Every structure is written in structure tokens, then in C-alpha cells.
């Protein structure tokens, strides 16, 4: 190959970022993450599984970046049992941005149930750059990305996910204090064995067991029944703003609505998907470059995964009944919460755990008092909301569970503390 061709290939490798989207290659990461979100929205993926899919897809992209840019922060070294990833084998130059973006989609295509839908996104990505990057570089970039993704997928296959379907079917306990399916669909428990999934940073899912929940006691003067009364009275007098807050952070992919004899699914973005969207908004507003944007998305995804694993371990340990069941049985048989009760035990609050954990990580990397407008839920028709900081957003996510009538006060507050400890631990590992 003559010298001129090598120079052209070198320039295309370093200047392609100026051609993707007006010079903001960082925003393309958020776009690829949103592509993942749309597929999971299509599939109605449950919250813990969604976090897992984000985690491995972004980790694949970050591993590709690490192989191509030796100045990349090696966060993989903090991941338990992380394998030695062999570099891609290609004789041609590789375009960093193309390989990373293609790799994120390739990983998602491989591990998400309807991942085949991402093939179109890959084709669109290639079409966008084929006039700017020489064909040999495109081919070598895709080949390099696929080689890394194949190794990451093998790592993912050993995390216990594929063994979940072989474990004993979960049967709700009959005790009044224990969770049981709720109206209108009376769905089976979601991911009762998620505690067996391998974590990335946490030593184990039991590393940050939260404070014990308020003991079940139906005496009207007990602490437990006072919490139930709080939900009952609060939900009877919700302001329009409180209703909006509850719906904004609902993030329940299992919600259904009955029309006559028909049940209609009300698709919503998962809690993890909501926070992945916030990361994209914050990264662009902060002016982060391509590498830092990918780092922040990857850390957020990994944090979500571990936070969900910790929370789900507690849910099926304490196995606590939902407010809807308690209030219908002991206070008002006709009462319904504003939000539909999710199909898994109550304690601790999942959104409280994961939102607080992610907010701590984002605050550590971008800073406190970072105001932003959250437009993620406009996808399902909700108006944007403005927040003064990530912690303020997490605080609103926590209290939304009370307004929605789906969590007791201690599940919210202790879940927040559980999430804070997880976030602080992950920060310390990095």
C-alpha cells in the first residue's frame, strides 16, 4: 500500500468524528443506547434484565475503546472475574468511533431477545459513514468490533442468567405478611432468583443488605399500619404535581389497562432506561468528549446492574406484602393506588435503590448542583422535568413511590440508603 493511501486512512480514522453528526460524536453514544432502549421497550424487558442488557452492551463498547485507545481509564480491572480480552485481529486501520458504536449495537443484537431489530441500526450507521471512511477501514472496524463482542458475550453467558429458567418455579407464600400477586393481571413474581446473577463490582448481592423493614403488625397503632395509613391518606389528597411526579417516575413495563374484556399493555421505559437517558442528556450538556461519554454510560449501566441485583436479593429475602394488599384487607377494600403495583415484593424500593446509586456515581463524575432538564419520558407523552442535581432527581424518584401508592416509607428511605452505599462503594473501586 503506497504512502498516500496510508495517510488518507490515518486521516479518516481520526477525522470521522467530524462527519458523524456535526462534530458531536459523543451524542451518537446516547443515540445507540436509545436504540437499545427502544428494543427493550418493544420486548417489555423487566427492570433487572434491562440493566443487564445495558451493562454488557456498554461494556463491549468500552472494551473496544480500551483496545484502541490506551489512554482510556481501565475500569474493567475493577470488575470481578473479568476475562483477558484478546485484541481484534485486523491488518487494516480501525476507526475508533465506528467500532465502538457498531460494537454496542452488536452486543445488544446478540443478547437482547429481539436484538435482531438492531441490524437496521447497524446498517444505518454504516450507510452514514461509507462516503467518509474507506471501505477497508469500515470492514476492519466491524471485524474488530465483532471479535471483541464475541468474547464479551461469552463472559456474559457465565453470569448465571441462562440458569435462571432451570431453577424452581417461585410460589408465593401464604402468610399475610408476604407478597402476593395483585390486580389487575395477578402476574407471577418477576425474577425471584435474580440474586444468583454475578455482579460486576459488589463482592456479593448481600454486601449491602438494608436495615430490616418495619415488622408486620396489623394493630392500627403499630408502625407498620401507620405507614399504610400514610399511603392511604396521601393518595386520597394528591396534588396534580404529585400525580405528575408519580407518573413521571413510574417506569413500570408491566402496567396493563382493561377495556371491556380486553387487557392492553401500557408500555413504559424501565427505571434503568430512564437513567441511561439522563446520562446522555447530562453528557451532552456537560460537553463531554467521546471517551468520557462512553465511560459515563458504561459506569451507569454497570451500577444499575449491581444495584438491581442487591435490591432483588432483599426483595425475595424480606418478601414483604405490597401496600395495595394491606390497605384493601385492613383499611379500605375498594382502594386502588395511583400507579399499578409491580409484580414483585415490596421491600426495598427498586427505584429508590438504583436511582440513588446512579445519582451518586454521576455526581462523583460530573459534580453536584448540575442542573438539567429530563426529557426521557416525553417518549411516552409526559412533559419534561427540570432538576437542580442528580441527587434531586433521585430524591424525586424515591418520593414518587409513595405518591404512586406502591411503596411504604421505610422501603423508600432504607432503599435510598442502600443505593447510596452501593454508589459510594463503586466510586471507591474506581
Amino acid at each position: 500500500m503506497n504512502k498516500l493511501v496510508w495517510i488518507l486512512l490515518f486521516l479518516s480514522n481520526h477525522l470521522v468524528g467530524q462527519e458523524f453528526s456535526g462534530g458531536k460524536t459523543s451524542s451518537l453514544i446516547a443515540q445507540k443506547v436509545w436504540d437499545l432502549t427502544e428494543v427493550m421497550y418493544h420486548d417489555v424487558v423487566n427492570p433487572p434484565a434491562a440493566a443487564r442488557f445495558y451493562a454488557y452492551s456498554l461494556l463491549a463498547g468500552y472494551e473496544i475503546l480500551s483496545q484502541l485507545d490506551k489512554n482510556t481509564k481501565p475500569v474493567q480491572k475493577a470488575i470481578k472475574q473479568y476475562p483477558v480480552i484478546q485484541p481484534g485481529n485486523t491488518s487494516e486501520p480501525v476507526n475508533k468511533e465506528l467500532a465502538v458504536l457498531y460494537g454496542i449495537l452488536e452486543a445488544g443484537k446478540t443478547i437482547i431477545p429481539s436484538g435482531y431489530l438492531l441490524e437496521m441500526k447497524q446498517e444505518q450507521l454504516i450507510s452514514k459513514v461509507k462516503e467518509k471512511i474507506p471501505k477497508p477501514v469500515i470492514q476492519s472496524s466491524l471485524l474488530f468490533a465483532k471479535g471483541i463482542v464475541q468474547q464479551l458475550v461469552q463472559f456474559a453467558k457465565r453470569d448465571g442468567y441462562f440458569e435462571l429458567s432451570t431453577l424452581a418455579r417461585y410460589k408465593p407464600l401464604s402468610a399475610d405478611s408476604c407478597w402476593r400477586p395483585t390486580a389487575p393481571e395477578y402476574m407471577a413474581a418477576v425474577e425471584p432468583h435474580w440474586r444468583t446473577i454475578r455482579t460486576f463490582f459488589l463482592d456479593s448481592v448481600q454486601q449491602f443488605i438494608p436495615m430490616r423493614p418495619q415488622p408486620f403488625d396489623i394493630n392500627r397503632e403499630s408502625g407498620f399500619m401507620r405507614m399504610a395509613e400514610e399511603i392511604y391518606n396521601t393518595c386520597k389528597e394528591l396534588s396534580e404535581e404529585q400525580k405528575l411526579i408519580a407518573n413521571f417516575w413510574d417506569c413500570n413495563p408491566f402496567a396493563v389497562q382493561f377495556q371491556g374484556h380486553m387487557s392492553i399493555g401500557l408500555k413504559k421505559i424501565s427505571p434503568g432506561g430512564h437513567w441511561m437517558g439522563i446520562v446522555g442528556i447530562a453528557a451532552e450538556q456537560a460537553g463531554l468528549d467521546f471517551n468520557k461519554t462512553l465511560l459515563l454510560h458504561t459506569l451507569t449501566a454497570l451500577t444499575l446492574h449491581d444495584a438491581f441485583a442487591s435490591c432483588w436479593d432483599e426483595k425475595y429475602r424480606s418478601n414483604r406484602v405490597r401496600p395495595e394488599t394491606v390497605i384493601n384487607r385492613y383499611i379500605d377494600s375498594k382502594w386502588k393506588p395511583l400507579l399499578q403495583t409491580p409484580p414483585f415484593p415490596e421491600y426495598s424500593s427498586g427505584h429508590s435503590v438504583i436511582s440513588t446509586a446512579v445519582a451518586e456515581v454521576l455526581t462523583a463524575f460530573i459534580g453536584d448542583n448540575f442542573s438539567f432538564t429530563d426529557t426521557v419520558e416525553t417518549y411516552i407523552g409526559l412533559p419534561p422535568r427540570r432538576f437542580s442535581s442528580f441527587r434531586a432527581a433521585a430524591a424525586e424518584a424515591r418520593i414518587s413511590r409513595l405518591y404512586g401508592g406502591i411503596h411504604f416509607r421505610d422501603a423508600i428511605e432504607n432503599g435510598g440508603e442502600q443505593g447510596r452505599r452501593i454508589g459510594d462503594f463503586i466510586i471507591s473501586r474506581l
Side-chain angles (χ1 to χ4, degrees):
M1 187 177 294
N2 63 48
K3 186 175 181 180
L4 177 59
V5 173
W6 271 112
I7 292 174
L8 291 173
L9 289 176
F10 176 83
L11 289 175
S12 73
N13 191 38
H14 288 269
L15 296 180
V16 67
Q18 300 298 319
E19 304 294 344
F20 272 125
S21 58
K24 284 193 174 182
T25 55
S26 58
S27 66
L28 284 179
I29 295 172
Q31 291 176 22
K32 300 310 146 200
V33 172
W34 184 252
D35 291 340
L36 302 178
T37 298
E38 287 191 311
V39 173
M40 287 188 264
Y41 178 86
H42 169 277
D43 284 354
V44 194
V45 174
N46 70 63
R52 177 182 181 269
F53 296 150
Y54 283 122
Y56 283 108
S57 298
L58 270 298
L59 186 57
Y62 199 77
E63 178 62 39
I64 292 168
L65 179 66
S66 299
Q67 296 274 352
L68 297 173
D69 188 339
K70 298 308 178 182
N71 294 321
T72 304
K73 184 177 178 65
V75 299
Q76 302 95 315
K77 291 184 178 180
I79 295 176
K80 298 186 311 178
Q81 303 175 29
Y82 194 76
V84 175
I85 304 296
Q86 299 299 324
N89 183 18
T90 175
S91 59
E92 299 288 349
V94 173
N95 179 274
K96 179 180 73 174
E97 288 87 353
L98 176 58
V100 167
L101 297 172
Y102 188 88
I104 291 171
L105 295 175
E106 181 70 14
K109 184 178 76 173
T110 306
I111 64 176
I112 300 174
S114 292
Y116 66 89
L117 296 173
L118 292 169
E119 290 181 6
M120 181 178 66
K121 302 297 183 180
Q122 289 179 314
E123 292 170 2
Q124 291 173 350
L125 175 64
I126 296 170
S127 178
K128 184 176 292 188
V129 303
K130 66 181 181 179
E131 301 299 326
K132 310 297 180 180
I133 305 177
K135 187 175 181 180
V137 178
I138 292 177
Q139 293 176 336
S140 65
S141 300
L142 305 191
L143 181 64
F144 187 93
K146 288 179 179 179
I148 300 297
V149 168
Q150 288 174 0
Q151 296 175 72
L152 258 297
V153 169
Q154 291 304 311
F155 177 54
K157 287 182 177 179
R158 298 191 295 271
D159 72 349
Y161 179 75
F162 290 98
E163 283 71 45
L164 293 176
S165 61
T166 69
L167 301 177
R169 185 185 179 96
Y170 181 81
K171 183 179 180 180
L173 301 179
S174 59
D176 289 346
S177 62
C178 294
W179 173 83
R180 61 189 55 191
T182 51
E185 283 291 271
Y186 298 95
M187 292 179 64
V190 169
E191 303 295 4
H193 302 296
W194 199 258
R195 69 182 69 183
T196 63
I197 292 290
R198 179 185 63 209
T199 52
F200 289 104
F201 298 119
L202 301 189
D203 297 333
S204 78
V205 293
Q206 299 181 1
Q207 186 174 356
F208 296 107
I209 294 176
M211 183 184 298
R212 293 299 78 211
Q214 186 76 234
F216 179 81
D217 184 350
I218 61 173
N219 184 311
R220 295 298 286 263
E221 300 303 317
S222 70
F224 179 79
M225 287 304 293
R226 284 199 297 271
M227 290 194 304
E229 291 278 3
E230 178 188 26
I231 294 172
Y232 180 66
N233 293 326
T234 298
C235 288
K236 286 197 301 184
E237 301 178 354
L238 289 173
S239 67
E240 291 304 312
E241 174 71 1
Q242 289 170 330
K243 292 177 183 178
L244 181 57
I245 289 171
N247 281 295
F248 188 80
W249 295 101
D250 184 13
C251 304
N252 180 7
F254 307 106
V256 296
Q257 184 179 76
F258 278 92
Q259 292 185 5
H261 295 289
M262 295 178 60
S263 62
I264 301 173
L266 304 175
K267 290 187 177 182
K268 297 182 180 180
I269 299 169
S270 71
H274 192 148
W275 277 99
M276 292 300 289
I278 289 175
V279 175
I281 292 168
E284 184 167 5
Q285 181 177 316
L288 301 186
D289 63 19
F290 185 88
N291 290 17
K292 291 179 181 177
T293 298
L294 181 59
L295 170 63
L296 206 59
H297 277 86
T298 304
L299 291 180
T300 299
L302 298 175
T303 299
L304 285 168
H305 178 279
D306 280 13
F308 268 117
S310 175
C311 180
W312 248 243
D313 170 63
E314 178 55 42
K315 281 186 178 295
Y316 289 93
R317 176 187 300 105
S318 52
N319 198 6
R320 188 162 77 174
V321 63
R322 286 279 182 170
E324 181 175 1
T325 304
V326 174
I327 293 172
N328 286 167
R329 186 181 294 156
Y330 303 111
I331 300 176
D332 182 347
S333 62
K334 297 181 179 180
W335 181 85
K336 294 297 178 186
L338 175 66
L339 302 182
Q340 198 167 112
T341 300
F344 37 82
E346 188 271 343
Y347 189 91
S348 51
S349 161
H351 225 321
S352 299
V353 175
I354 67 103
S355 295
T356 308
V358 170
E360 291 306 302
V361 171
L362 293 179
T363 299
F365 279 82
I366 295 184
D368 206 354
N369 301 317
F370 180 88
S371 60
F372 64 96
T373 298
D374 181 354
T375 59
V376 177
E377 297 298 317
T378 59
Y379 186 73
I380 60 171
L382 293 172
R385 291 189 67 78
R386 184 76 178 170
F387 297 102
S388 60
S389 67
F390 301 116
R391 287 172 174 153
E396 186 175 278
R398 291 194 297 268
I399 197 60
S400 74
R401 315 326 265 166
L402 181 66
Y403 297 157
I406 60 175
H407 277 294
F408 295 108
R409 172 75 69 172
D410 62 344
I412 296 167
E413 294 181 349
N414 296 344
E417 177 61 18
Q418 181 183 1
R420 185 195 62 76
R421 294 169 65 199
I422 292 169
D424 287 349
F425 176 77
I426 291 174
I427 293 166
S428 71
R429 289 290 300 269
L430 298 172

